[in-house]
């Protein structure tokens, strides 16, 4: 079968599109015929070796944490899923990934795919959806009626976080590039331009009870972001730490996303109920993975990109 794989850590040049053996499911595993995976920034960090100390992976490695596909074969002891089922999953961060024709997945990670969208597009949901869910409700403990600022709301995680927060009854302000404004407004958010950190929180209606940050910046910029959090509030980030301010009882939390089938099932239900919309900027063959990684590094990636299996 065909797969994208790298034998050493490094730049996108290490990515190869090559023939490898089709895997065989062991006890508790499911073999999935991949419809699509998607690109996530963490794929770039893993490939470069930047996370190897905390997330050691075996080389050669197939990237692709998101999975949408069809069950092809069951390992021993697997129940609750059948050959032919359409599924989605977030694979373990250190596991062999889904940028291939077939991939092995732990049976407990599999969730029935959304019925209302194409299976290929469902690959855009798992990691970004779980990240948004876990940062909002796990780290920040968002409650109905709270004020929330989402910095970097136009991105894949930010867009889902805005929708989940609006649905939860929060008062959401979305900071993003003007090109995302109309879409974010349609989700029910109040939209402001990218934050001018020198202007401070009052310029965008703050401070806020909860800040969700998805924009990577310098230590000084992170410190300025903490001013956007009201006394007793929380700053949660997927893009590096934001300093706490004990004098104002402002706490900080950073996300390390994990696979969670219960949460993913809830996200799928919201997609099928039209309460959660996936914004997919591009769909490309998985064979073009090197170009996608290059485009991301150069800032040319237009948004969430789905990688379609051969």
């Amino acid at each position: 079968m065909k797969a994208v794989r790298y034998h050493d850590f490094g730049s996108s040049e290490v990515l190869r599109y090559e023939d490898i053996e089709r895997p065989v499911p062991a006890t508790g595993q499911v073999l999935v015929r991949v419809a699509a995976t998607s690109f996530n920034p963490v794929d770039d960090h893993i490939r470069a070796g930047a996370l190897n100390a905390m997330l050691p992976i075996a080389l050669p490695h197939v990237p692709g944490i998101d999975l949408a596909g069809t069950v092809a074969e069951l390992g021993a002891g697997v129940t609750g899923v059948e050959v032919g089922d359409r599924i989605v999953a977030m694979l373990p961060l250190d596991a062999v990934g889904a940028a291939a024709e077939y991939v092995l997945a732990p049976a407990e990670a599999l969730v029935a795919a959304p019925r209302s969208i194409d299976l290929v597009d469902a690959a855009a949901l798992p990691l970004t959806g779980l990240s948004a869910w876990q940062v909002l409700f796990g780290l920040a403990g968002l409650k109905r009626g709270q004020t929330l600022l989402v910095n970097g709301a136009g991105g894949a995680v930010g867009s889902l976080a805005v929708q989940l927060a609006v649905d939860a009854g929060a008062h959401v302000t979305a900071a993003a590039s003007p090109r995302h404004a109309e879409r974010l407004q349609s989700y029910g958010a109040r939209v402001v331009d990218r934050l001018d950190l020198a202007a401070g929180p009052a310029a965008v209606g703050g401070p806020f009870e909860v800040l969700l940050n998805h924009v990577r910046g310098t230590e000084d910029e992170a410190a300025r972001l903490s001013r956007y959090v009201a006394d007793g509030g929380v700053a949660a980030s997927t893009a590096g730490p934001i300093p706490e301010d004990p004098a104002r009882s402002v706490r900080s939390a950073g996300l390390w996303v994990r696979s969670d089938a219960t949460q993913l099932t809830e996200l799928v239900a919201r997609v099928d109920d039209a309460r959660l919309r996936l914004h997919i900027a591009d769909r490309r063959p998985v064979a073009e993975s090197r170009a996608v990684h290059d485009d991301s590094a150069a800032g040319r990636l237009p948004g969430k990109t789905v990688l379609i299996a051969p």
Side-chain angles (χ1 to χ4, degrees), residues 36-239:
T37 184
S38 78
F39 175 82
N40 293 287
V42 71
D43 295 321
D44 181 84
H45 303 325
I46 295 172
R47 187 213 68 236
L51 299 179
N52 203 43
M54 66 179 75
L55 190 69
I57 62 170
L59 296 174
H61 181 70
V62 178
I65 297 163
D66 286 319
L67 169 63
T70 306
V71 173
E73 187 178 342
L74 305 179
V78 173
T79 59
V81 64
E82 297 180 359
V83 172
D85 285 354
R86 290 157 45 98
I87 60 86
V88 291
M90 176 185 157
L91 299 174
L93 293 173
D94 59 351
V96 175
E101 289 184 69
Y102 291 87
V103 67
L104 295 176
E108 65 272 14
L110 303 185
V111 167
R115 303 179 307 275
S116 59
I117 61 174
D118 289 342
L119 185 57
V120 162
D121 289 350
L125 177 65
L127 186 143
T128 53
L130 288 170
S131 295
W133 186 280
Q134 290 169 17
V135 76
L136 273 176
F137 305 120
L139 297 183
L142 185 73
K143 298 177 178 63
R144 177 173 295 276
Q146 285 189 310
T147 57
L148 166 69
L149 172 65
V150 182
N151 186 34
V157 178
S159 293
L160 296 180
V162 166
Q163 295 177 72
L164 290 171
V166 169
D167 191 61
H171 304 289
V172 182
T173 298
S177 167
R179 70 177 183 272
H180 301 298
E182 184 176 352
R183 176 168 56 86
L184 293 169
Q185 287 169 350
S186 76
Y187 298 156
R190 181 176 74 93
V191 180
V192 298
D193 206 342
R194 290 172 175 163
L195 295 185
D196 177 0
L197 296 178
V204 291
F208 302 86
E209 291 168 284
V210 179
L211 165 69
L212 241 58
N213 178 55
H214 306 296
V215 178
R216 194 167 295 278
T218 65
E219 289 185 10
D220 177 66
E221 288 169 335
R224 291 186 180 194
L225 273 176
S226 67
R227 296 185 299 155
Y228 286 75
V229 185
D231 293 359
V234 57
S237 178
T238 65

Side-chain angles (χ1 to χ4, degrees), residues 2-6 10-18 34 36-40 43-44 47 61-66 97-101 282-298 300-301 305-310:
K2 288 290 188 182
V4 175
R5 197 161 66 157
Y6 50 91
S11 71
S12 64
E13 295 298 317
V14 301
L15 292 169
R16 305 179 186 176
Y17 187 58
E18 57 190 14
V34 180
T37 184
S38 78
F39 175 82
N40 293 287
D43 295 321
D44 181 84
R47 187 213 68 236
H61 181 70
V62 178
I65 297 163
D66 286 319
E101 289 184 69
D282 203 2
R283 300 166 182 83
R284 296 168 72 170
V286 73
E288 296 181 11
S289 289
R290 181 184 293 183
V292 171
H293 280 238
D294 283 340
D295 287 345
S296 175
R300 297 189 300 263
L301 210 60
T305 299
V306 166
L307 298 170
I308 302 171

Side-chain angles (χ1 to χ4, degrees), residues 232-257:
V234 57
S237 178
T238 65
I242 296 174
E244 294 190 333
D245 187 346
R248 298 195 299 114
S249 300
V250 171
R251 68 178 180 91
S252 176
L255 178 71
W256 187 257
V257 65

